[in-house]
Amino acid sequence: MLDRPLPSLAAIRAFEAAARLESFTKAGHELGTSSASVSYHVRQLEAQLGVKLFRRHPHRVELTDAGTLIATEAGKAFAALRASFARAAEMDEGRLSLTTLPTLGSSWLTPRLGLFRAAHPDILVELDVSDAAEDLTTGRFDMAIRNGDGRWPGLRTIELFPSSFMPLCVPALKAAAAGIADPRAPLAVPLLGRQDWWSLWYQALGWAEGPPQSRFGTSFSAEHLDVAAALAGHGVVIASPILFRGEIDSGRLVPAHDMVVPAGRSFWLTYPVSRQNSRKIGLFREWLCGEAAAARASHDTAFGKNRTASNMAAVARL
């Protein structure tokens, strides 16, 4: 008997439901199938065991002694399974895994995460920073913050704030960077950051070409490293005034020029559509959108009236 293979799960589920509800019809409704299907699975189970499990009456079924024994144990087993599923769901809801880009994660998000934990101490946040666009369908991560156009199939996306950049430097270099608007003029300090961003910034000022290679200082692999070099006084960096608003507000960095150029992309919070009803995702989404709205408002207050790429299009070279 112990060597017999375990009956199919479908047959066990059908039997357990029929025994608990004392009806093949009610069991079929609960399982989303027909009473005939439940009856078929029960008969298959009886045939495999060689034991009669139900006495069948015109409008009801009645467990035999053998059926009662099995129903009791099956009920305990399914109750244990349901409890373990509930515990697993509770455990999952208590841990939020998030992946984001290195600069946003280290410079903007990390200093704020303590506020979320203070508001929701029952949710532990695990933060991964990476340039890789992780596949959110694998279950490794619950959510991601990505940069792009927000059109990713199968994912719900919420725009946080736009990507933009402007020249920033420490106050001591402000005077030395006074001629930064002209890419041909000599400059006493090197430029830091992505050369393509500098080219776009100068194009917004009306220049067809960006600065020569000789103007650039050390090249780093990420924006927050470029900013770290700028904070050390090693040059003028092209960087996001939103992500580094804290450094600007504290006076550690100042604009070397007042024009902010949009990159044509945005930062987006994203997660699988199938997870949109998750409590932890909903709470984090609400909190993060509030933080992003505050960041946008602060940026608009500080730079909203300054010249931007859109209203500089007709301006001649400075």
Side-chain angles (χ1 to χ4, degrees):
M1 182 68 177
L2 294 177
D3 294 332
R4 289 186 180 182
L6 189 69
S8 71
L9 181 59
I12 297 173
R13 288 182 68 223
F15 168 76
E16 189 274 336
R20 176 166 37 84
L21 299 171
E22 299 182 342
S23 167
F24 287 175
T25 300
K26 292 179 180 179
H29 289 161
E30 180 179 289
L31 298 175
T33 187
S34 66
S35 60
S37 175
V38 173
S39 178
Y40 168 78
H41 283 300
V42 170
R43 289 189 184 278
Q44 290 292 103
L45 184 60
E46 289 175 328
Q48 183 176 355
L49 297 177
V51 176
K52 199 74 170 178
L53 301 176
F54 286 100
R55 299 184 187 92
R56 291 159 175 81
H57 303 288
H59 301 293
R60 65 186 181 88
V61 292
E62 180 185 3
L63 285 167
T64 64
D65 290 343
T68 299
L69 174 64
I70 296 175
T72 299
E73 297 304 320
K76 292 178 182 178
F78 276 95
L81 279 175
R82 293 187 187 99
S84 65
F85 292 150
R87 288 195 300 270
E90 291 175 1
M91 182 183 300
D92 180 73
E93 282 295 322
R95 188 181 300 271
L96 178 74
S97 56
L98 173 72
T99 179
T100 186
L101 298 166
T103 293
L104 184 141
S106 61
S107 301
W108 187 85
L109 182 58
T110 297
R112 291 169 166 79
L113 279 179
L115 300 175
F116 177 79
R117 281 285 288 163
H120 305 285
D122 59 318
I123 301 177
L124 175 65
V125 179
E126 296 179 345
L127 179 64
D128 169 83
V129 291
S130 172
D131 286 318
E134 298 286 349
D135 183 358
L136 297 184
T137 65
T138 65
R140 181 184 175 194
F141 295 105
D142 297 303
M143 312 177 80
I145 301 176
R146 294 179 177 175
N147 189 272
D149 59 12
R151 295 192 292 268
W152 299 300
L155 299 179
R156 184 76 67 198
T157 57
I158 301 172
E159 186 175 12
L160 299 176
F161 41 73
S163 292
S164 59
F165 42 82
M166 71 183 307
L168 300 170
C169 64
V170 294
L173 295 184
K174 176 80 171 179
I180 198 170
D182 187 345
R184 303 168 306 177
L187 198 66
V189 293
L191 302 180
L192 301 169
R194 291 176 50 170
Q195 295 186 27
D196 57 336
W197 286 3
W198 278 111
S199 295
L200 289 174
W201 190 79
Y202 277 109
Q203 287 172 22
L205 283 174
W207 296 95
E209 297 182 359
Q213 184 68 37
S214 59
R215 276 204 174 185
F216 289 92
T218 304
S219 176
F220 297 94
S221 61
E223 185 182 357
H224 64 283
L225 299 177
D226 294 321
V227 171
L231 286 167
H234 298 323
V236 180
V237 66
I238 189 84
S240 168
I242 294 181
L243 297 186
F244 296 97
R245 185 71 203 164
E247 285 76 6
I248 297 173
D249 286 343
S250 68
R252 298 173 66 203
L253 290 177
V254 296
H257 190 283
D258 65 358
M259 192 175 72
V260 180
V261 175
R265 300 157 64 90
S266 293
F267 290 97
W268 301 79
L269 176 65
T270 182
Y271 50 89
V273 173
S274 60
R275 302 294 308 282
Q276 60 185 340
N277 294 323
S278 166
R279 174 181 176 272
K280 64 181 179 182
I281 286 178
L283 291 174
F284 190 81
R285 176 184 62 220
E286 180 181 1
W287 171 80
L288 188 64
C289 287
E291 291 295 313
R296 289 197 307 269
S298 177
H299 172 78
D300 292 344
T301 298
F303 300 108
K305 295 182 180 180
N306 292 339
R307 293 175 296 177
T308 63
S310 59
N311 59 31
M312 286 294 294
V315 177
R317 293 177 178 174
L318 301 182

